[in-house]
Amino acid sequence: MERIPILRMGDFLLVTVQVEMHDQLALNLQEDLADRISATAARGVLIDISALEIVDSFIGRMIANISGLSKIMDAQTVLVGMQPAVAITLVELGLNLPGVATALNVDRGMQLLRHSVQQQ
Amino acid sequence: MKVTDKGTRPIRTEQDIVLARQACRKLAQDCGLRLVAQTKLVTAVSELARNTLVYGGGGDLDWEMLEDGVRRGIRIVFSDEGPGIPDLQLAMTEGWTSGGGLGLGLTGAKRLVNEFDLETAPGKGTRISITQWT
């Protein structure tokens, strides 16, 4: 079965979505991330969607779910790299991703994660 | 208004949703839509193709390239022979969902395109037409 790779960087997990996101792939990612957070005791998850050309309500819901479940598992999620056209479309669609932390790029996202771990 | 090209694609599997998105992106580029208009159209296609599959039990996507004076456009029609939408007003309510979704599919898709037209009747299937102009 097709899967999106999850890399470990110290206390954090890094997910770079490089392929066209179909629904089953999104569901697999959600399950895989929950397993990996549990197995590695990760404190943060960084999801890079800079290669995604659209985010529809299904993918948006998956992102919100991942953010919610990682919070329950004591890890913070940061979504990075959203293309401007995707951001404009998401807001118009009515999907504001409440509760999902975002950053402009991977560097800023990592800063955000490190900062929030230090504060705890 | 004249139709310069047209075609059809099946919406029968989850993979077809991805293929429909890719095909419509290509059409939108050929049509000369700007990036934001392309992204909105492709996102609407993704929402509606999923509805066709999940609620309509599968169906077809028919597309037409349009020319109307100086402006060009794409019309995409999703049709299925599923159960139809029993309460259209309810289905077009923001945030309402009959499935496990967010309830943004229909209302969201409508906001993303220039024209949106929906015909449905219980037991008669559903036909949704969307158009995006340059």
Side-chain angles (χ1 to χ4, degrees), chain A residues 37-107:
Chain A
I37 293 170
S38 165
T40 63
R43 303 306 310 277
V45 177
L46 188 135
I47 304 176
D48 176 13
I49 59 163
S50 54
L52 277 192
E53 290 185 337
I54 71 148
V55 172
D56 65 5
S57 65
F58 191 93
I59 299 170
R61 178 158 55 119
M62 183 275 305
I63 291 168
N65 283 355
I66 286 174
S67 174
L69 80 86
S70 70
K71 195 175 285 171
I72 291 171
M73 298 180 77
D74 194 23
Q76 194 192 338
T77 301
V78 180
L79 185 69
V80 307
M82 188 183 290
Q83 295 182 13
V86 172
I88 292 168
T89 303
L90 263 188
V91 172
E92 200 121 335
L93 190 62
L95 206 64
N96 300 319
L97 297 178
V100 179
T102 57
L104 212 50
N105 54 39
V106 175
D107 277 347

Side-chain angles (χ1 to χ4, degrees), chain B residues 67-79:
Chain B
E67 245 180 57
D68 182 24
V70 288
R71 64 176 189 169
R72 303 178 66 197
I74 308 174
R75 174 164 299 149
I76 301 171
V77 178
F78 299 85
S79 49

